[in-house]
Amino acid sequence: MTDADADADASARTAAVAPGSPWKGWAAVSAVSLGIFCLITSELLPVGLLTPVGDSLGVSDGTAGLMVTVPGLVAGFCAPLVTVGAGRLDRRLVLCVLIALMAVANLAAALASDFALVLAARLLVGVSVGGFWAIAGGLAVRLVPERHVGRATAVVFGGVPTASVLGVPAGTLLGELGGWRTAFAAVAALGLVTLIALLLLLPALPADRSIRFAELPALLRDNRSVRAGVIVTFLVVTGQFAAYTFVRPILRDVSGVDAEYVSTLLLGYGVAGVAGNFLAGTRDPRRTLLVVSAALTAVLALIATLPGAVAGTALLLAWGLAYGGVSVSLQSWMIRAAPRAAEAASSLMVAVFNFAIAAGALAGGLAVDGLSAPAAPLTGAALMLAAAVTIGTASASARRREPAAGVPDHPRAAAGAVGAVEAEVPYTTDG
């Protein structure tokens, strides 16, 4: 990529921002954040409804966990597929279609007569989550001025922990009051509201450039920071969902929390997650993820072994605070690692993130069904420890590669067949 190409890319990225109307950019950021909130609520809704759905449709808690595993797998495949397949399509149109698909899928789940139909609907949710997140993750740079990109990215990914604050607890409460079908129908209605918001608030977002499939493995091969980010994503998210998918039976069997208090505790978890998201949004992502993974190693090990509702509540809140910074930190890591291939890097991160959700839910299900509820968070703790070691190793390697004169401000693209792949440079931060 030449300097002229980079300048053209920069112009394209800022073209969507309306001059003299900063509120329009922030309104668009809010609409995208609502979309992320809606999709993550949809993806994680079964976490609080595993037992009711399982009882209603005659499956075990471990089998009901497939409602998280299936969309995670599909989203992992669809993140790069949708990003590449979208080609030169306006990103606004693509996001609207994906949100509409999510709404239809949740309505179908609400009307499903058996578990197989629910899983089929959850497959469509996976398509929506993978495609939307991969495209939306890097849109902040096109919607607000450069000085506000970090904050805008935190707002966009504020939809992730806010889904835990409002979406999952509200869905759990609706499931308790009106049945699990009501909860799925409510998310379908929320999808319609989100679609209207995107249509009204999001500007036209023509594609910066087309992405080819060959760029994705080349980016992994040639950029060490991207490769390390992908490995850390897999370890942290697999560890999280090995435990979090089964938070309800963990709180019941280990902490002794009564079922009627679970939705309230999940609300507290989500509030702590929102705080963690915004605390992490403007900080160095690599250091943040090192602290987060170390903290979660301890928290998950303790919640698996310490009995009592008080201990369980305190640890759940600490869990939410720590994990709240993960999504925005991973996204920032990937954008900084490949600034001129941000959409491609984001699609890799989202693909692995969602594969990891599926892997975590599956691993946790096997642990719960084969051993006991505490085995799920212990599995998560082991993976978090591996993530902390990986981050520490990658950071040490980056420091050894740093040139004495300092890190260049604008890394050059590597020469070769794949022009969007970044040259390998030490990982840098802006504070």
Side-chain angles (χ1 to χ4, degrees):
M1 180 184 290
T2 65
D3 288 343
D5 292 332
D7 292 340
D9 280 351
S11 298
R13 284 194 295 271
T14 58
V17 181
S21 302
W23 69 268
K24 290 185 178 180
W26 284 106
V29 166
S30 298
V32 175
S33 181
L34 178 61
I36 294 286
F37 166 81
C38 188
L39 287 159
I40 299 304
T41 297
S42 177
E43 185 171 20
L44 301 184
L45 183 63
V47 168
L49 301 174
L50 286 182
T51 302
V53 173
D55 291 345
S56 173
L57 300 178
V59 297
S60 69
D61 281 350
T63 301
L66 291 173
M67 291 187 293
V68 179
T69 302
V70 166
L73 284 172
V74 174
F77 283 111
C78 286
L81 288 176
V82 171
T83 302
V84 174
R88 291 287 183 176
L89 290 176
D90 189 305
R91 279 7 187 188
R92 175 176 178 267
L93 173 63
V94 175
L95 296 182
C96 289
V97 169
L98 292 169
I99 281 291
L101 180 63
M102 184 279 302
V104 171
N106 278 283
L107 182 59
L111 299 174
S113 59
D114 60 47
F115 190 66
L117 293 175
V118 172
L119 284 184
R122 299 293 294 167
L123 183 150
L124 297 180
V125 169
V127 175
S128 302
V129 170
F132 192 102
W133 193 348
I135 291 172
L139 286 183
V141 296
R142 302 185 62 184
L143 298 174
V144 298
E146 183 178 354
R147 66 184 182 278
H148 296 314
V149 166
R151 188 182 307 167
T153 301
V155 170
V156 168
F157 282 94
V160 176
T162 306
S164 298
V165 172
L166 299 177
V168 175
T172 303
L173 183 60
L174 279 174
E176 293 170 355
L177 296 177
W180 63 269
R181 297 181 188 276
T182 302
F184 280 100
V187 175
L190 179 62
L192 178 60
V193 172
T194 304
L195 175 61
I196 293 170
L198 290 171
L199 289 171
L200 293 178
L201 300 176
L202 205 60
L205 294 167
D208 288 348
R209 49 185 291 275
S210 295
I211 297 174
R212 293 171 292 152
F213 278 112
E215 294 179 28
L216 303 180
L219 191 59
L220 274 177
R221 183 183 64 247
D222 298 336
N223 190 311
R224 294 181 185 178
S225 291
V226 167
R227 190 163 61 247
V230 164
I231 294 170
V232 170
T233 297
F234 181 79
L235 291 171
V236 169
V237 179
T238 301
Q240 164 70 7
F241 283 91
Y244 185 66
T245 303
F246 302 95
V247 66
R248 186 167 183 148
I250 292 165
L251 291 173
R252 178 192 64 205
D253 296 351
V254 180
S255 303
V257 174
D258 291 336
E260 61 264 30
Y261 297 118
V262 170
S263 59
T264 302
L265 291 182
L266 289 177
L267 177 63
Y269 172 96
V271 170
V274 170
N277 175 78
F278 285 99
L279 283 173
T282 57
R283 298 178 185 274
D284 168 47
R286 187 168 291 199
R287 293 176 184 172
T288 299
L289 286 166
L290 180 59
V291 172
V292 163
S293 56
L296 287 174
T297 300
V299 167
L300 294 180
L302 289 172
I303 205 169
T305 55
L306 282 183
V310 173
T313 298
L315 289 167
L316 187 68
L317 294 177
W319 185 354
L321 180 66
Y323 187 73
V326 166
S327 297
V328 65
S329 296
L330 289 172
Q331 183 69 45
S332 297
W333 180 326
M334 300 304 279
I335 290 175
R336 294 183 186 188
R340 294 182 182 173
E343 197 169 90
S346 293
S347 72
L348 286 172
M349 186 274 287
V350 173
V352 173
F353 196 109
N354 284 281
F355 281 135
I357 289 176
L362 181 60
L366 292 173
V368 169
D369 284 351
L371 297 171
S372 62
L378 288 175
T379 300
L383 290 164
M384 293 296 179
L385 179 60
V389 171
T390 301
I391 296 166
T393 302
S395 297
S397 176
R399 285 193 295 270
R400 287 195 299 270
R401 295 195 309 273
E402 187 172 354
V407 179
D409 292 331
H410 301 287
R412 302 292 182 186
V418 183
V421 176
E422 299 299 311
E424 176 59 27
V425 296
Y427 182 88
T428 62
T429 75
D430 54 13

